[in-house]
């Protein structure tokens, strides 16, 4: 069973310390792969927008970080979490997406000499949304967004899967373009570990936005099934196996495509489809089900309508 590392919080007990400065939750996946598991609630001042997961690999020649956090301070917290595991510095940062908490910490790590790596489509989206994301996050994180500025990958990936050898660690970055434009996932073939980015959520409701592509997500999920990872580091929720990933995400994609999507293509009235499927007991265990499920069905229906 995967267990969180026990990292002392004593250093943060001094008067005036922010709740935001508490140690992050690090889960050891194997002898050199770790997940930083964020909250499954919304972005908040105290979590520095880190309501998602990052991962890192302690390679022979440096640390490979997968996703850099939502701010300069958030990146520093990630760096501190890594330092509790290894004193080797972060040498590479891979962005699996262009949502704020996947990349706005890039500048922090780049300033310390790390190389940032991402797909071309990821960077294109980051350049479109970065300024707006920072302005939006300032409303929640306030002064804890100070010093945060967009910084983009200097190694641009164009073909998927992109095969990388970083510090002796061989991995593949696969373009999904699903939850958010330019999204990807990272596959460690030797270890059979998948850092899924926002393709996979567990413990909480899968997010589908106006800019998401359920069709692309469903296709990417089929690729995950073929890979058959032993361990999944999801974009949100606890590190898990494929059975859990299928229950919380794969089965929901199947429902969206084969029930809601098919009904839309068959021109069934949207309100009737949503009403008929509003009570799906198999997904009620997911956090935010009550507030997200109908919205996700609505957005999925519109994507499939008339196709």
């Amino acid at each position: 069973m995967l267990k969180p590392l026990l990292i002392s919080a004593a250093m943060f007990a001094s008067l005036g310390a922010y709740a935001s400065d508490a140690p992050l939750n690090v889960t050891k996946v194997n002898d050199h792969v770790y997940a930083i598991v964020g909250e499954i609630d919304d972005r908040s001042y105290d979590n520095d927008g880190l309501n998602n997961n990052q991962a890192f690999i302690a390679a022979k020649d440096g640390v490979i970080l997968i996703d850099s956090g939502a701010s300069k301070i958030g990146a520093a917290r990630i760096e501190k979490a890594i330092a509790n595991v290894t004193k080797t510095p972060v040498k590479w940062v891979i962005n699996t997406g262009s949502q704020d908490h996947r990349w706005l910490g890039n500048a922090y790590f780049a300033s310390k000499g790390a190389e940032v790596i991402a797909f071309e489509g990821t960077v294109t989206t980051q350049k479109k949304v970065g300024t707006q994301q920072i302005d939006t996050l300032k409303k929640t994180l306030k002064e804890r967004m100070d010093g945060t500025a967009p910084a983009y990958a200097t190694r641009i990936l164009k073909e998927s899967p992109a095969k990388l050898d970083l510090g002796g660690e061989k991995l593949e970055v696969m373009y999904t373009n699903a939850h958010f434009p330019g999204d990807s996932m990272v596959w460690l073939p030797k270890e059979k570990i998948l850092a899924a980015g926002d393709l996979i959520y567990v413990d909480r409701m899968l997010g589908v936005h106006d800019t998401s592509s359920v069709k692309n997500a469903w296709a990417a999920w089929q690729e995950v099934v073929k890979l058959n990872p032993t361990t999944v580091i999801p974009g949100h929720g606890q590190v898990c196996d494929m059975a859990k990933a299928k229950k919380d995400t794969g089965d929901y994609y199947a429902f969206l495509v084969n029930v809601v999507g098919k009904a839309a293509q068959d021109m069934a009235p949207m309100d009737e489809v949503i009403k008929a499927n509003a009570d799906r007991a198999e997904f009620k265990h997911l956090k935010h089900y009550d507030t997200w499920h109908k919205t996700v069905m609505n957005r999925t229906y519109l994507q499939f309508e008339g196709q």
Side-chain angles (χ1 to χ4, degrees):
M1 180 182 293
L2 299 169
K3 296 181 179 180
L5 294 181
L6 297 178
I7 299 173
S8 172
M11 70 184 76
F12 302 107
S14 60
L15 183 64
Y18 288 102
S20 305
D21 293 324
L24 300 177
N25 177 14
V26 178
T27 296
K28 185 175 183 178
V29 179
N30 69 11
D31 63 349
H32 68 294
V33 180
Y34 300 81
I36 302 175
V37 180
E39 299 178 8
I40 57 172
D41 261 321
D42 296 331
R43 295 163 180 79
S44 72
Y45 182 85
D46 284 342
N47 68 28
D48 284 310
L50 299 177
N51 64 329
N52 66 319
N53 297 343
Q54 296 82 35
F56 65 95
I57 305 162
K60 289 187 297 184
D61 299 329
V63 169
I64 306 162
L65 174 61
I66 301 173
D67 295 326
S68 62
S71 67
K72 181 180 179 180
I73 287 178
R77 292 181 69 194
I78 291 169
E79 181 184 50
K80 188 175 293 184
I82 294 170
N84 280 300
V85 173
T86 174
K87 300 307 178 186
T88 306
V90 174
K91 194 169 181 179
W92 302 276
V93 175
I94 299 173
N95 293 160
T96 67
S98 48
Q99 278 197 299
D100 47 22
H101 47 208
R102 303 246 167 245
W103 75 283
L104 285 176
N106 284 356
Y108 179 86
F109 291 103
S111 72
K112 297 194 170 192
E115 179 182 32
V116 181
I117 304 168
F119 275 108
E120 185 174 37
T122 309
V123 175
T124 297
T125 304
Q126 289 171 348
K127 289 180 177 179
K128 291 179 180 178
V129 301
T131 299
Q132 180 183 354
Q133 286 178 345
I134 290 173
D135 289 343
T136 299
L137 273 175
K138 283 180 179 177
K139 298 174 184 176
T140 300
L141 304 190
K142 302 180 173 62
E143 81 283 352
R144 293 184 72 82
M145 277 298 288
D146 290 353
T148 302
Y152 309 105
T154 53
R155 189 190 303 197
I156 306 297
L157 308 177
K158 295 188 177 183
E159 294 186 4
S160 177
K163 297 184 178 183
L164 304 176
D165 186 339
L166 304 176
E169 187 72 31
K170 297 184 185 300
L171 48 84
E172 299 177 12
V173 188
M174 302 177 176
Y175 199 60
T176 59
N177 199 34
H179 175 74
F180 210 72
D183 276 2
S184 62
M185 57 187 177
V186 180
W187 172 237
L188 282 64
K190 181 180 178 181
E191 297 88 347
K192 292 187 71 66
I193 295 170
L194 179 70
D198 282 326
L199 180 70
I200 296 176
Y201 285 38
V202 301
D203 306 320
R204 64 163 286 181
M205 192 72 200
L206 181 73
V208 172
H209 301 284
D210 291 335
T211 54
S212 300
S213 171
V214 175
K215 288 183 178 180
N216 287 355
W218 180 237
W221 171 255
Q222 305 307 312
E223 293 303 311
V224 172
V225 171
K226 292 177 185 176
L227 292 174
N228 192 27
T230 301
T231 305
V232 176
I233 302 172
H236 298 265
Q238 295 295 321
V239 177
C240 64
D241 58 15
M242 268 296 283
K244 175 71 169 173
K246 179 180 182 297
K247 178 183 177 183
D248 288 4
T249 285
D251 290 351
Y252 196 66
Y253 282 140
F255 159 71
L256 292 178
V257 172
N258 298 325
V259 177
V260 179
K262 185 177 185 304
Q265 292 173 328
D266 292 342
M267 296 183 289
M270 182 170 66
D271 58 344
E272 293 181 11
V273 174
I274 292 174
K275 183 178 180 180
N277 292 284
D279 186 11
R280 301 292 302 204
E282 66 269 41
F283 305 121
K284 281 189 172 182
H285 66 285
L286 298 171
K287 192 174 183 70
H288 306 308
Y289 171 90
D290 291 339
T291 54
W292 267 97
H293 177 56
K294 290 182 180 179
T295 299
V296 169
M297 287 194 292
N298 181 290
R299 290 173 177 169
T300 300
Y301 183 99
L302 294 175
Q303 287 184 24
F304 282 81
E305 188 177 27
Q307 297 182 7

